[in-house]
């Protein structure tokens, strides 16, 4: 048993802390957050600001970034790795994940998620509540998949893409980097980099560059 430091004490951080507790690997969990009014969140102490993480690397050898912004989350993960922190993978016990799935550091998988064979999940991803990801998918670093999303087989999703709540991705689709898939969208064809797509079927609505 050891200690875990969580960067970010917002709503996402609360869920991350509860998952870490259910995993029963850490005997102490604490937050770093920039909201000076926060002293405690759901019985977990807020001990300092986010950028103070260097001061705690001898006490908390394990750290996790619980920040929704994909780019910032990845940047902080790289900073923590550079400082020698161990970055765990957090998986809620109520999930169904194939033994042939690969999951990189700093990713969290929330309750009800189902991930099928030969899927590869990158660093710092968020796989939210009741998500299904079928076989042979590839999720690059910093992908955020919101609750209730269904991803078909052999789908690739680029770096820092956000797939919003309740959307569906058809089989054999390639989604680019820094894409936003709007809530409830049905993606049935490839999506280029840096765009917002929405609708049924989903179409490009906005360039995000």
């Amino acid at each position: 048993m050891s200690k875990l430091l969580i960067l970010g004490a917002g709503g996402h951080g609360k869920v991350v802390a509860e998952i870490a507790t259910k995993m029963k690997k850490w005997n102490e969990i604490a937050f770093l957050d920039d909201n000076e009014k926060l002293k405690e969140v759901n019985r977990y102490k807020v001990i300092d600001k986010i950028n103070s993480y260097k001061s705690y690397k001898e006490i908390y050898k394990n750290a996790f970034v619980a920040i929704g912004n994909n780019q910032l989350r990845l940047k902080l993960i790289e900073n923590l790795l550079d400082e020698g922190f161990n970055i765990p993978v957090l998986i809620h016990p109520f999930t169904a994940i194939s033994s042939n799935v690969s999951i990189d550091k700093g990713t969290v998988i929330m309750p009800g998620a189902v991930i099928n064979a030969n899927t590869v999940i990158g660093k710092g991803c968020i796989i939210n509540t009741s998500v299904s990801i079928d076989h042979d998918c590839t999720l690059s670093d910093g992908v955020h998949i919101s609750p209730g999303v269904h991803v078909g087989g052999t789908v690739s999703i680029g770096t820092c893409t956000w797939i919003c709540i309740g959307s569906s991705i058809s089989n054999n689709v390639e989604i680019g980097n820094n894409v936003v898939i709007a809530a409830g969208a049905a993606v049935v064809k490839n999506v280029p980099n840096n765009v917002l797509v929405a609708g049924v079927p989903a179409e490009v609505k906005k360039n995000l560059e």
Side-chain angles (χ1 to χ4, degrees):
M1 299 285 280
S2 58
K3 298 180 179 182
L4 176 66
L5 191 63
I6 298 175
L7 281 63
H12 180 50
K14 294 173 186 176
V15 176
V16 164
E18 289 191 356
I19 292 171
T21 299
K22 289 182 180 296
M23 292 177 68
K24 299 181 179 179
K25 289 187 175 182
W26 298 278
N27 57 6
E28 183 179 320
I29 297 171
F31 281 113
L32 299 179
D33 195 273
D34 291 341
N35 184 346
E36 296 180 355
K37 295 180 180 180
L38 286 178
K39 303 300 179 186
E40 186 174 300
V41 176
N42 292 355
R43 79 179 178 277
Y44 307 104
K45 292 182 179 179
V46 181
I47 58 174
D48 213 331
K49 293 185 176 181
I50 288 173
N51 284 336
S52 67
Y53 58 85
K54 293 181 183 180
S55 303
Y56 295 93
K57 63 183 179 180
E58 298 303 323
I59 303 171
Y60 295 87
K61 298 187 183 299
N62 303 281
F64 194 91
V65 182
I67 292 173
N69 182 290
N70 294 336
Q71 288 81 5
L72 178 57
R73 185 170 65 257
L74 281 183
K75 180 180 178 181
L76 286 170
I77 288 171
E78 292 300 333
N79 290 346
L80 290 170
L81 289 171
D82 288 344
E83 291 296 325
F85 283 93
N86 176 58
I87 312 294
V89 172
L90 300 184
I91 301 175
H92 194 282
F94 298 151
T95 59
I97 302 174
S98 166
S99 59
N100 295 314
V101 169
S102 171
I103 306 170
D104 207 345
K105 298 175 181 178
T107 286
V108 59
I109 301 177
M110 299 189 182
V114 177
I115 306 174
N116 285 331
N118 298 102
T119 285
V120 177
I121 299 175
K123 189 184 303 174
C125 293
I126 300 172
I127 311 300
N128 224 306
T129 310
S130 299
V131 164
S132 68
I133 302 173
D134 212 346
H135 62 88
D136 297 293
C137 291
T138 301
L139 280 63
S140 300
D141 294 347
V143 168
H144 180 177
I145 300 187
S146 298
V149 168
H150 299 296
V151 180
T154 323
V155 168
S156 67
I157 302 173
T159 303
C160 291
T161 282
W162 178 20
I163 301 180
C164 296
I165 192 166
S167 55
S168 299
I169 316 298
S170 187
N171 294 355
N172 305 314
V173 166
E174 296 182 7
I175 297 173
N177 303 322
N178 303 306
V179 169
V180 177
I181 307 294
V187 179
V188 297
K189 61 183 179 181
N190 294 349
V191 178
N193 297 332
N194 304 303
V195 295
L196 165 68
V197 301
V200 180
E203 300 288 345
V204 174
K205 302 296 184 181
K206 185 177 181 181
N207 192 315
L208 301 177
E209 287 186 296

